[in-house]
Amino acid sequence: EKTNWQIRISRSEWKKDQDSYYWGTRNWKAFNITRSGADTIEGLISHSVSDKHLVTFGGEYVKEWIGSTQLGVGAETSKTYVRNGKSLVYGERERQNYSLYLQDEWTPSEKWLIIPAARIEHSDSFGTEFVPKIGATYFVKPDFRIKASAGKGYRIPTILELYRQNASGSMVGNPNLEPETSKSYEIGFEKDWEKHTARIAFYRSEVRDLIISKQVNPPVYTWANSEEALLAGVEIVTTHKLSKELDIRLGYNYLDAKDTVEDERLEGRPRHQFTFGATYRPLNSDWKFSLDGNLMTDYLYTDNFNKQHNTSYLIVNAIIDRKFGKEKKGSVYLGVENLFDKKEFDLSEYGRTYVMGVSYKF
């Protein structure tokens, strides 16, 4: 009744085999073979010390690994692949990350929930970092809450950000990258009604060594650290239950992101982002229909010819899902991502994609 524990062991693997062609002539140009993944072991134990404290202690071990024809000087082992007379070196590298964390869910009264937490991160590539955070919720009424949080953020560069070298040389890694560290603050207000909810939150994040993509010699890009950056904005989210069968979601996010040393706006982020979604579940049916959209406006980026653009675009996804089997533990889905076939090649939006999948819970 007072103690719960969990052990999770997982392996994720991603495989890619790609041929690329010259635009227009469609003549074969190059190829890319990449295999990457992570092996994870995580364990945690939660214990109710009293009716006011639920303490959780846990740890995680992650081994990341990658093999790629786009892995450059950082490869620990290598071999050669040949296709259409072209030879590429396939490099392999792995690294290990460890973490320990402690959290307390403290309810000093019916009006308050306070959650202090701390995490120790260790990487065999970047050493050890202490990452604290605290969050608090004040229940003004059962249907009205004020939430606030403050904490430190930490992200180490990925292996490809450090060592990537693709066949055309247009994206190269930077082995001198430093981890990102940040101080983040947020305050939000949440309100519930019988069929509606609303949330507004104001956030601010002060980042040191933010990892960004940077053009060094058109059309060559690399990753670099922005010495000091500020990301601040406001997010509004509402949900509405229009009937027993239909729910809709609406959201808006305003983001002001800038390099505070250069006093320049950061690229690769929309200033305004509008989201919407709808879910339709017919009564007494195993079917579910979902539609989600994301409209980004005032999106700043630089193309391969070192020309800066400010664009807006809409991406809409549609999914059909059906439950099956005994006790409806199975689910199969079919969907279309980027329904209207929007293409923004400079932003890696390559058009419509069809997806399908199945899951079953034993």
Side-chain angles (χ1 to χ4, degrees):
E1 294 181 1
K2 292 187 175 183
T3 305
N4 291 298
W5 60 270
Q6 174 182 309
I7 295 176
R8 184 174 65 91
I9 302 173
S10 67
R11 178 183 178 89
S12 61
E13 188 168 342
W14 185 79
K15 299 181 179 182
K16 178 177 182 179
D17 192 327
Q18 179 187 47
D19 288 283
S20 55
Y21 300 81
Y22 287 102
W23 184 265
T25 65
R26 300 295 295 167
N27 292 328
W28 186 86
K29 181 181 180 182
F31 68 99
N32 168 28
I33 298 173
T34 298
R35 305 284 186 265
S36 65
D39 301 319
T40 303
I41 301 174
E42 180 183 7
L44 64 86
I45 184 168
S46 294
H47 180 70
S48 296
V49 179
S50 68
D51 58 353
K52 296 184 182 297
H53 293 274
L54 175 63
V55 177
T56 300
F57 173 74
E60 185 180 50
Y61 164 76
V62 181
K63 183 179 79 173
E64 299 177 78
W65 50 272
I66 186 170
S68 179
T69 52
Q70 295 191 342
L71 194 63
V73 296
E76 296 169 319
T77 60
S78 63
K79 55 187 175 182
T80 301
Y81 280 95
V82 180
R83 183 175 296 176
N84 292 341
K86 186 178 183 70
S87 300
L88 290 178
V89 175
Y90 180 90
E92 297 175 302
R93 189 181 181 94
E94 68 177 42
R95 70 181 181 191
Q96 302 180 75
N97 306 304
Y98 309 82
S99 63
L100 293 173
Y101 53 88
L102 181 66
Q103 173 181 287
D104 181 20
E105 296 182 41
W106 176 31
T107 52
S109 69
E110 293 183 355
K111 291 284 189 179
W112 283 98
L113 170 62
I114 302 174
I115 305 178
R119 188 179 182 102
I120 297 175
E121 299 269 3
H122 177 78
S123 165
D124 58 8
S125 301
F126 292 97
T128 304
E129 191 76 13
F130 178 67
V131 187
K133 185 175 183 180
I134 186 168
T137 301
Y138 178 65
F139 297 86
V140 181
K141 295 180 179 180
D143 59 359
F144 180 47
R145 302 169 295 279
I146 301 175
K147 292 186 174 182
S149 66
K152 181 178 179 179
Y154 180 69
R155 182 177 89 82
I156 63 175
T158 67
I159 296 176
L160 282 181
E161 286 173 342
L162 291 166
Y163 304 115
R164 178 175 175 175
Q165 176 68 66
N166 68 13
S168 62
S170 60
M171 194 72 194
V172 296
N174 179 359
N176 298 315
L177 283 176
E178 295 291 334
E180 292 180 1
T181 57
S182 63
K183 296 177 181 178
S184 299
Y185 313 90
E186 180 173 322
I187 184 168
F189 306 86
E190 298 180 352
K191 180 72 170 72
D192 301 330
W193 293 270
E194 184 179 355
K195 295 184 178 181
H196 313 281
T197 66
R199 176 179 182 270
I200 182 170
F202 302 88
Y203 59 88
R204 177 186 176 91
S205 186
E206 302 164 0
V207 190
R208 292 190 63 86
D209 296 319
L210 178 68
I211 299 172
I212 59 173
S213 63
K214 184 177 182 181
Q215 198 167 52
V216 290
N217 183 20
V220 179
Y221 283 81
T222 189
W223 285 278
N225 290 116
S226 174
E227 186 177 348
E228 292 184 9
L230 175 65
L231 291 82
V234 58
E235 182 182 42
I236 302 171
V237 179
T238 67
T239 63
H240 308 271
K241 191 171 186 63
L242 300 184
S243 70
K244 292 181 179 180
E245 299 176 314
L246 180 62
D247 299 323
I248 65 170
R249 303 169 297 281
L250 300 171
Y252 167 72
N253 186 79
Y254 170 80
L255 173 63
D256 181 23
K258 62 182 180 181
D259 183 316
T260 55
V261 174
E262 301 293 335
D263 195 26
E264 294 178 348
R265 183 181 165 191
L266 291 173
E267 296 187 356
R269 296 167 175 84
R271 191 183 296 275
H272 306 279
Q273 187 170 356
F274 302 86
T275 58
F276 63 89
T279 301
Y280 177 69
R281 300 181 182 86
L283 294 177
N284 304 317
S285 172
D286 297 328
W287 292 90
K288 182 176 74 173
F289 304 88
S290 301
L291 189 72
D292 291 283
N294 189 356
L295 173 62
M296 295 190 231
T297 68
D298 199 359
Y299 191 105
L300 187 68
Y301 72 96
T302 299
D303 65 19
N304 289 334
F305 302 99
N306 204 25
K307 184 178 179 181
Q308 199 171 65
H309 298 268
N310 199 316
T311 189
S312 301
Y313 65 98
L314 171 68
I315 300 295
V316 177
N317 307 315
I319 296 285
I320 300 174
D321 184 288
R322 188 181 189 278
K323 293 182 179 180
F324 68 89
K326 187 177 180 180
E327 299 180 4
K328 307 302 179 184
K329 292 185 176 181
S331 176
V332 60
Y333 69 87
L334 176 67
V336 183
E337 297 178 351
N338 198 344
L339 183 64
F340 299 116
D341 200 27
K342 177 64 177 177
K343 295 181 174 68
E344 290 281 353
F345 296 113
D346 290 320
L347 304 179
S348 299
E349 294 291 351
Y350 299 120
R352 188 181 297 118
T353 303
Y354 300 92
V355 297
M356 63 182 300
V358 61
S359 65
Y360 194 89
K361 184 175 181 180
F362 296 93

